[in-house]
Amino acid sequence: MRHPVGNSQNGIAIYVDLIHSDAAKHISRQPYLLGLAGEALRQTTLQGPEAILEYNMGRTIGYNFVVNTKATDNIFYAQLVREKTYTRFVKNGQPDSTQYLTLILRRNEDDNTYELHDAWIGHLCPPQPGSTNETSESRQYWANHAFVLDNQPLQMRTVTRVCPY
């Protein structure tokens, strides 16, 4: 389902797939992400096949649930429901308030629009280790960062304290 997000500063239409995209997972938990994305994209000139934006909204917009971790933190790993990649979690962590919104867009060559592939509140971070788009920075970054355990839907049979990557 292609849902309009808005237009970029240079007049390019942006859409999001509210069923199958990575952005859909975050938007379903935080529907106001659509409005924030539209607001940020109106101030952004898009070009190229992919755009990765870390946008400062100039005001607090929510909480960043990816936090720095210490050796004394209670860390575990688990797969989210319908995910194959393990996610690193910290119990009893506190999310940080943030002004930053991260957007990942890909151009659709057929009609010269962009699709909002992913969006979240917080800073840009490398993909998780084990994912298909893992980068050379992924393992080092995620060795010192984790998602604050909130009420994410976990596959309970995958919960482990042993690092799976």
Side-chain angles (χ1 to χ4, degrees), residues 110-142:
D110 296 336
D111 59 2
N112 199 35
T113 61
Y114 278 82
E115 180 178 347
L116 180 60
H117 177 71
D118 207 349
W120 64 87
I121 292 174
H123 290 283
L124 179 63
C125 52
Q128 295 183 63
S131 66
T132 56
N133 50 356
E134 177 180 351
T135 66
S136 58
E137 298 94 30
S138 293
R139 290 180 191 259
Q140 182 178 353
Y141 180 87
W142 288 105

Short mmCIF file of all heavy atoms in Angstrom, two decimals, residues 110-142:
data_model
loop_
_atom_site.label_atom_id
_atom_site.label_comp_id
_atom_site.label_asym_id
_atom_site.label_seq_id
_atom_site.Cartn_x
_atom_site.Cartn_y
_atom_site.Cartn_z
N ASP A 110 11.04 4.23 -12.05
CA ASP A 110 9.89 4.19 -12.96
C ASP A 110 9.15 5.51 -13.02
O ASP A 110 8.73 5.94 -14.09
CB ASP A 110 8.91 3.07 -12.55
CG ASP A 110 9.54 1.69 -12.68
OD1 ASP A 110 10.49 1.55 -13.48
OD2 ASP A 110 9.08 0.77 -11.99
N ASP A 111 8.96 6.14 -11.87
CA ASP A 111 8.18 7.39 -11.87
C ASP A 111 8.90 8.55 -11.19
O ASP A 111 8.30 9.58 -10.90
CB ASP A 111 6.82 7.16 -11.21
CG ASP A 111 6.91 6.66 -9.78
OD1 ASP A 111 8.04 6.53 -9.25
OD2 ASP A 111 5.85 6.40 -9.18
N ASN A 112 10.21 8.40 -10.94
CA ASN A 112 11.04 9.45 -10.34
C ASN A 112 10.49 9.94 -9.00
O ASN A 112 10.52 11.13 -8.70
CB ASN A 112 11.27 10.62 -11.30
CG ASN A 112 12.47 11.44 -10.87
OD1 ASN A 112 13.46 10.90 -10.36
ND2 ASN A 112 12.39 12.74 -11.06
N THR A 113 9.97 9.02 -8.20
CA THR A 113 9.56 9.34 -6.83
C THR A 113 10.55 8.65 -5.90
O THR A 113 11.42 7.90 -6.34
CB THR A 113 8.14 8.81 -6.54
OG1 THR A 113 8.12 7.39 -6.69
CG2 THR A 113 7.10 9.45 -7.46
N TYR A 114 10.41 8.92 -4.61
CA TYR A 114 11.23 8.23 -3.61
C TYR A 114 10.31 7.45 -2.69
O TYR A 114 9.20 7.89 -2.38
CB TYR A 114 12.04 9.22 -2.78
CG TYR A 114 13.32 9.67 -3.44
CD1 TYR A 114 13.31 10.69 -4.39
CD2 TYR A 114 14.54 9.07 -3.14
CE1 TYR A 114 14.48 11.11 -5.00
CE2 TYR A 114 15.72 9.48 -3.74
CZ TYR A 114 15.67 10.50 -4.67
OH TYR A 114 16.84 10.90 -5.27
N GLU A 115 10.80 6.30 -2.26
CA GLU A 115 10.08 5.51 -1.26
C GLU A 115 10.81 5.64 0.07
O GLU A 115 12.04 5.51 0.13
CB GLU A 115 10.00 4.04 -1.65
CG GLU A 115 9.25 3.22 -0.61
CD GLU A 115 9.11 1.76 -0.98
OE1 GLU A 115 9.35 1.39 -2.13
OE2 GLU A 115 8.75 0.98 -0.08
N LEU A 116 10.07 5.92 1.12
CA LEU A 116 10.62 5.96 2.47
C LEU A 116 10.82 4.51 2.89
O LEU A 116 9.85 3.80 3.18
CB LEU A 116 9.67 6.70 3.42
CG LEU A 116 10.10 6.83 4.86
CD1 LEU A 116 11.43 7.59 4.97
CD2 LEU A 116 9.02 7.51 5.68
N HIS A 117 12.06 4.08 2.88
CA HIS A 117 12.38 2.68 3.19
C HIS A 117 12.38 2.44 4.70
O HIS A 117 11.90 1.41 5.18
CB HIS A 117 13.74 2.32 2.59
CG HIS A 117 14.19 0.94 2.91
ND1 HIS A 117 13.61 -0.17 2.38
CD2 HIS A 117 15.17 0.49 3.73
CE1 HIS A 117 14.21 -1.25 2.85
NE2 HIS A 117 15.16 -0.87 3.67
N ASP A 118 12.94 3.38 5.45
CA ASP A 118 12.97 3.24 6.91
C ASP A 118 12.97 4.62 7.55
O ASP A 118 13.40 5.60 6.94
CB ASP A 118 14.20 2.45 7.35
CG ASP A 118 13.98 1.73 8.68
OD1 ASP A 118 12.97 2.00 9.37
OD2 ASP A 118 14.82 0.90 9.05
N ALA A 119 12.48 4.70 8.77
CA ALA A 119 12.41 5.96 9.51
C ALA A 119 12.37 5.65 11.00
O ALA A 119 11.71 4.69 11.42
CB ALA A 119 11.16 6.75 9.13
N TRP A 120 13.11 6.42 11.78
CA TRP A 120 13.05 6.25 13.22
C TRP A 120 13.47 7.53 13.91
O TRP A 120 14.15 8.37 13.33
CB TRP A 120 13.89 5.07 13.70
CG TRP A 120 15.36 5.18 13.48
CD1 TRP A 120 16.28 5.77 14.30
CD2 TRP A 120 16.11 4.68 12.37
NE1 TRP A 120 17.55 5.66 13.78
CE2 TRP A 120 17.47 5.00 12.58
CE3 TRP A 120 15.76 4.00 11.19
CZ2 TRP A 120 18.47 4.66 11.68
CZ3 TRP A 120 16.76 3.67 10.30
CH2 TRP A 120 18.09 4.00 10.56
N ILE A 121 13.06 7.64 15.16
CA ILE A 121 13.48 8.77 15.99
C ILE A 121 14.82 8.41 16.59
O ILE A 121 14.98 7.34 17.18
CB ILE A 121 12.42 9.05 17.08
CG1 ILE A 121 11.15 9.57 16.41
CG2 ILE A 121 12.95 10.02 18.11
CD1 ILE A 121 9.99 9.76 17.34
N GLY A 122 15.78 9.30 16.39
CA GLY A 122 17.12 9.06 16.91
C GLY A 122 18.16 9.22 15.83
O GLY A 122 17.86 9.51 14.68
N HIS A 123 19.40 9.02 16.24
CA HIS A 123 20.53 9.19 15.34
C HIS A 123 20.67 8.01 14.38
O HIS A 123 20.22 6.91 14.67
CB HIS A 123 21.83 9.33 16.15
CG HIS A 123 21.93 10.62 16.88
ND1 HIS A 123 22.24 11.81 16.26
CD2 HIS A 123 21.74 10.93 18.19
CE1 HIS A 123 22.25 12.78 17.15
NE2 HIS A 123 21.94 12.28 18.32
N LEU A 124 21.34 8.28 13.28
CA LEU A 124 21.68 7.24 12.32
C LEU A 124 22.65 6.27 12.96
O LEU A 124 23.59 6.68 13.66
CB LEU A 124 22.33 7.90 11.09
CG LEU A 124 22.79 6.98 9.97
CD1 LEU A 124 21.59 6.26 9.36
CD2 LEU A 124 23.52 7.78 8.91
N CYS A 125 22.43 4.99 12.77
CA CYS A 125 23.34 3.98 13.30
C CYS A 125 23.52 2.89 12.24
O CYS A 125 22.65 2.71 11.38
CB CYS A 125 22.84 3.40 14.62
SG CYS A 125 21.16 2.79 14.60
N PRO A 126 24.63 2.18 12.27
CA PRO A 126 24.86 1.13 11.27
C PRO A 126 23.84 0.00 11.40
O PRO A 126 23.28 -0.23 12.49
CB PRO A 126 26.26 0.61 11.59
CG PRO A 126 26.81 1.45 12.66
CD PRO A 126 25.72 2.29 13.22
N PRO A 127 23.59 -0.72 10.31
CA PRO A 127 22.70 -1.88 10.37
C PRO A 127 23.22 -2.90 11.39
O PRO A 127 24.41 -2.94 11.69
CB PRO A 127 22.74 -2.45 8.96
CG PRO A 127 23.23 -1.34 8.11
CD PRO A 127 24.12 -0.50 8.98
N GLN A 128 22.33 -3.73 11.88
CA GLN A 128 22.71 -4.71 12.88
C GLN A 128 23.56 -5.83 12.26
O GLN A 128 23.37 -6.19 11.11
CB GLN A 128 21.47 -5.30 13.52
CG GLN A 128 20.68 -4.25 14.29
CD GLN A 128 19.50 -4.86 14.98
OE1 GLN A 128 19.66 -5.71 15.84
NE2 GLN A 128 18.31 -4.42 14.60
N PRO A 129 24.50 -6.36 13.04
CA PRO A 129 25.29 -7.49 12.55
C PRO A 129 24.38 -8.66 12.18
O PRO A 129 23.37 -8.91 12.84
CB PRO A 129 26.16 -7.86 13.76
CG PRO A 129 26.22 -6.63 14.57
CD PRO A 129 24.89 -5.95 14.38
N GLY A 130 24.74 -9.33 11.12
CA GLY A 130 23.95 -10.47 10.67
C GLY A 130 22.86 -10.09 9.68
O GLY A 130 22.28 -10.96 9.04
N SER A 131 22.59 -8.79 9.53
CA SER A 131 21.57 -8.38 8.57
C SER A 131 22.18 -8.37 7.17
O SER A 131 23.40 -8.35 7.00
CB SER A 131 21.02 -6.99 8.92
OG SER A 131 22.02 -6.00 8.79
N THR A 132 21.35 -8.37 6.17
CA THR A 132 21.83 -8.42 4.79
C THR A 132 22.61 -7.15 4.41
O THR A 132 23.44 -7.19 3.52
CB THR A 132 20.67 -8.60 3.80
OG1 THR A 132 19.72 -7.56 4.01
CG2 THR A 132 20.01 -9.95 3.98
N ASN A 133 22.35 -6.05 5.09
CA ASN A 133 23.04 -4.79 4.77
C ASN A 133 24.08 -4.42 5.84
O ASN A 133 24.44 -3.25 5.97
CB ASN A 133 22.04 -3.66 4.55
CG ASN A 133 21.02 -3.55 5.67
OD1 ASN A 133 21.01 -4.36 6.59
ND2 ASN A 133 20.16 -2.57 5.58
N GLU A 134 24.59 -5.41 6.56
CA GLU A 134 25.63 -5.18 7.56
C GLU A 134 26.83 -4.46 6.93
O GLU A 134 27.20 -4.73 5.79
CB GLU A 134 26.09 -6.52 8.14
CG GLU A 134 27.21 -6.41 9.14
CD GLU A 134 27.64 -7.77 9.71
OE1 GLU A 134 26.97 -8.78 9.45
OE2 GLU A 134 28.66 -7.80 10.41
N THR A 135 27.42 -3.52 7.68
CA THR A 135 28.59 -2.79 7.19
C THR A 135 29.81 -3.14 8.05
O THR A 135 29.69 -3.83 9.06
CB THR A 135 28.36 -1.27 7.25
OG1 THR A 135 28.24 -0.87 8.62
CG2 THR A 135 27.13 -0.86 6.47
N SER A 136 30.95 -2.59 7.67
CA SER A 136 32.16 -2.86 8.44
C SER A 136 32.10 -2.24 9.84
O SER A 136 32.81 -2.67 10.74
CB SER A 136 33.40 -2.34 7.68
OG SER A 136 33.27 -0.95 7.44
N GLU A 137 31.26 -1.21 10.03
CA GLU A 137 31.12 -0.59 11.35
C GLU A 137 30.10 -1.28 12.25
O GLU A 137 30.04 -0.99 13.44
CB GLU A 137 30.69 0.88 11.21
CG GLU A 137 31.67 1.77 10.48
CD GLU A 137 31.35 1.87 8.99
OE1 GLU A 137 30.17 1.77 8.62
OE2 GLU A 137 32.28 2.03 8.20
N SER A 138 29.27 -2.15 11.70
CA SER A 138 28.14 -2.73 12.44
C SER A 138 28.56 -3.43 13.74
O SER A 138 28.03 -3.12 14.81
CB SER A 138 27.38 -3.71 11.56
OG SER A 138 26.73 -3.05 10.51
N ARG A 139 29.47 -4.36 13.66
CA ARG A 139 29.83 -5.15 14.85
C ARG A 139 30.44 -4.30 15.95
O ARG A 139 30.11 -4.45 17.12
CB ARG A 139 30.76 -6.29 14.47
CG ARG A 139 30.02 -7.35 13.67
CD ARG A 139 30.89 -8.52 13.28
NE ARG A 139 30.19 -9.35 12.32
CZ ARG A 139 29.58 -10.49 12.62
NH1 ARG A 139 29.61 -10.95 13.85
NH2 ARG A 139 28.95 -11.17 11.69
N GLN A 140 31.32 -3.38 15.58
CA GLN A 140 31.94 -2.52 16.59
C GLN A 140 30.90 -1.61 17.25
O GLN A 140 30.87 -1.46 18.47
CB GLN A 140 33.04 -1.68 15.97
CG GLN A 140 33.75 -0.80 16.98
CD GLN A 140 34.88 0.01 16.34
OE1 GLN A 140 35.21 -0.17 15.19
NE2 GLN A 140 35.44 0.90 17.13
N TYR A 141 30.02 -1.03 16.45
CA TYR A 141 28.99 -0.14 17.00
C TYR A 141 28.06 -0.91 17.95
O TYR A 141 27.80 -0.48 19.07
CB TYR A 141 28.18 0.50 15.86
CG TYR A 141 27.11 1.44 16.35
CD1 TYR A 141 27.39 2.76 16.61
CD2 TYR A 141 25.80 0.98 16.57
CE1 TYR A 141 26.40 3.63 17.06
CE2 TYR A 141 24.82 1.84 17.02
CZ TYR A 141 25.12 3.16 17.27
OH TYR A 141 24.14 4.00 17.73
N TRP A 142 27.54 -2.05 17.47
CA TRP A 142 26.56 -2.79 18.26
C TRP A 142 27.19 -3.54 19.44
O TRP A 142 26.48 -4.02 20.31
CB TRP A 142 25.73 -3.71 17.37
CG TRP A 142 24.79 -2.88 16.53
CD1 TRP A 142 24.90 -2.58 15.21
CD2 TRP A 142 23.63 -2.19 16.99
NE1 TRP A 142 23.89 -1.76 14.82
CE2 TRP A 142 23.08 -1.51 15.89
CE3 TRP A 142 22.98 -2.09 18.22
CZ2 TRP A 142 21.93 -0.73 15.98
CZ3 TRP A 142 21.84 -1.32 18.32
CH2 TRP A 142 21.32 -0.65 17.21
#
